[in-house]
Amino acid sequence: MKKIRACIFDLDGVIIDTASHHFIAWCQLADEIGIPFADEHNEALKGLSRLDSLEYILNIGGMVLDSETKLRLMETKNAHYLKLVGNITPMDVLPGVMDFMEILKSKGIKVALGSSSKNAEMILRRLNLMDQFDALVDGNHITLSKPDPEVFILGAKALGIEPEYCLVFEDAQSGIDAAKAGGFPVIGIGSLAALSKADAVIAGFDGLTWDGLKALL
Ligand code: B16
Ligand code: MG
């Protein structure tokens, strides 16, 4: 394993549990347009862009819509999502994330965000986390979404460090595939069953040390 010189964090489901807010918002939208959508689709949806997520749901219902209607539905989903995240505070940062970021700082490891979300900056501001990142790449900067590696490649470029030295943290299958496609080592955050293609899987950052991390790779 190459020496790790940078870490790239996904946002939703890694730094904060907004993956569940996205899922609830999509469930609300699916219900409004009469498409049955439940837990079994949660994993597949994680990490996909807003448009790819909508297409996934429309496909379940065998529904084909024009682009204007799709835009309207994406706005409705985002309004549901914004309502759900309206009350988040720095207390909602997942356990261990802040401590782990401090460890990275003390080791001189660069840190970037690699998120599909167009709401990423707003969420980071609410969490008071903007200062923790040397580079931010989100849904507003990319043309191809996960599982394409673009988001991580742009993150590595912004940090000036080659992918093989940038460790990605991801909670989504699409994100693990994206990291692998770009030549990044990747740690899955969540369950081994869902993220088996990662180099290692951990439940979260709580208690994670630098030596513990190295032992995983
Ligand atoms: P938005 P991540 C992703 O963020 C979410 O996992 C995914 O559920 C969401 O559809 C996507 O962002 C787009 O989000 O609608 O806010 O632009 O996990 O890549 O940080
Ligand atoms: Mg995620």
Side-chain angles (χ1 to χ4, degrees):
M1 173 53 68
K2 295 258 166 56
K3 188 171 165 19
I4 298 304
R5 296 174 51 204
C7 288
I8 304 183
F9 289 76
D10 172 52
L11 176 67
D12 299 309
V14 168
I15 290 175
I16 177 171
D17 185 25
T18 34
S20 61
H21 297 100
H22 279 294
F23 182 65
I24 294 168
W26 283 121
C27 285
Q28 289 173 341
L29 184 86
D31 193 46
E32 284 158 17
I33 58 176
I35 293 181
F37 182 65
D39 275 9
E40 72 207 71
H41 301 293
N42 191 3
E43 287 302 330
L45 214 61
K46 284 180 188 172
L48 301 190
S49 69
R50 208 177 293 176
L51 179 59
D52 288 350
S53 305
L54 177 64
E55 300 282 15
Y56 179 97
I57 290 167
L58 294 177
N59 194 37
I60 295 172
M63 214 181 254
V64 178
L65 299 174
D66 58 61
S67 2
E68 211 173 295
T69 311
K70 285 195 266 192
L71 267 181
R72 189 173 50 73
L73 293 180
M74 286 191 286
E75 276 166 21
T76 304
K77 181 269 173 176
N78 199 46
H80 291 326
Y81 175 71
L82 293 179
K83 213 176 272 177
L84 290 165
V85 298
N87 292 326
I88 63 167
T89 74
M91 300 288 287
D92 294 305
V93 175
L94 285 170
V97 170
M98 294 309 299
D99 289 344
F100 186 65
M101 293 241 177
E102 284 307 316
I103 293 175
L104 296 181
K105 216 179 275 173
S106 73
K107 301 274 172 201
I109 304 289
K110 296 259 180 236
V111 176
L113 186 85
S115 166
S116 303
S117 176
K118 294 185 169 166
N119 291 297
E121 197 171 318
M122 176 272 290
I123 298 280
L124 288 184
R125 285 190 191 286
R126 291 264 183 87
L127 299 176
N128 271 343
L129 285 183
M130 287 291 281
D131 291 350
Q132 300 290 332
F133 293 89
D134 300 296
L136 291 187
V137 184
D138 66 26
N140 298 296
H141 306 113
I142 52 177
T143 50
L144 300 164
S145 84
K146 299 167 187 175
D148 188 279
E150 185 183 15
V151 70
F152 298 133
I153 288 174
L154 290 180
K157 273 202 181 128
L159 296 176
I161 298 176
E162 291 297 314
E164 60 199 299
Y165 303 104
C166 296
L167 178 61
V168 170
F169 291 99
E170 251 299 340
D171 72 314
Q173 285 167 3
S174 60
I176 307 269
D177 290 344
K180 285 278 144 206
F184 295 82
V186 56
I187 294 206
I189 305 291
S191 75
L192 183 58
L195 306 173
S196 58
K197 288 196 231 156
D199 294 303
V201 177
I202 55 175
F205 293 94
D206 208 9
L208 185 63
T209 62
W210 184 247
D211 286 343
L213 178 72
K214 285 200 293 188
L216 288 169
L217 295 167

